[in-house]
Amino acid sequence: MSEGSSKQIDCPSAQATADGARIFGVMTGTPEAHRVGYLTEIVPASEKILALSGSAKPTQLFRIAAPCTNGACKHFKGNACSLAQRIVEGVPAVVNALPACQIRSTCRWFRQEGKEACFRCPQVMTDTANATDFEKQIADAD
């Protein structure tokens, strides 16, 4: 997969406060058995929309994309996202077909890890209130 120098590359697990933050999914199910419901259109992460998360962090309810910050991110090592690598290597796939994702063409994880990242993405929650030790290990191994 080649990267065009003019094309933005997005982090699919960005914080709500990131410049250019956009919502591309909403968490569904329960905290123990959650899945991303992918939106048919990307929505700007406005204060009004983010307030819908109530007492939860917006990243516990929404999947948010924003331009990848490359070396400014703790997960970026060398020229790669180590979080994407850990997810593909350590987390089982939960789907066997590409989800209907609106950011795939600009997604760092897809560009780097291909469809294997997409097969795991529906279970990724950027912030989890009661993360398991395994989830903490995947998220914070750096």
Side-chain angles (χ1 to χ4, degrees):
M1 283 173 254
S2 65
E3 284 181 24
S5 58
S6 63
K7 194 157 195 172
Q8 172 178 301
I9 298 174
D10 287 312
C11 169
S13 192
Q15 295 298 315
T17 55
D19 287 342
R22 296 156 348 269
I23 298 167
F24 69 96
V26 177
M27 300 312 296
T28 64
T30 65
E32 298 77 30
H34 57 269
R35 291 290 179 264
V36 175
Y38 293 90
L39 302 179
T40 57
E41 292 183 27
I42 298 170
V43 177
S46 68
E47 286 185 35
K48 183 177 179 180
I49 297 285
L50 296 174
L52 295 174
S53 64
S55 61
K57 290 182 178 179
T59 47
Q60 291 174 315
L61 179 62
F62 302 115
R63 282 293 300 282
I64 299 171
C68 176
T69 61
N70 299 311
C73 176
K74 73 176 187 174
H75 297 296
F76 203 78
K77 305 291 183 219
N79 286 321
C81 175
S82 63
L83 179 59
Q85 290 172 331
R86 288 192 305 277
I87 288 170
V88 167
E89 292 170 2
V91 177
V94 292
V95 296
N96 58 12
L98 292 175
C101 177
Q102 298 299 310
I103 69 159
R104 184 172 297 114
S105 66
T106 60
C107 179
R108 163 73 63 198
W109 294 2
F110 178 71
R111 285 173 173 247
Q112 180 180 311
E113 303 292 333
K115 65 184 179 181
E116 294 303 318
C118 299
F119 293 164
R120 290 152 176 84
C121 186
Q123 67 191 311
V124 173
M125 184 183 273
T126 302
D127 283 308
T128 306
N130 299 307
T132 65
D133 288 342
F134 176 71
E135 288 168 332
K136 290 176 187 173
Q137 179 183 355
I138 294 291
D140 295 322
D142 293 322

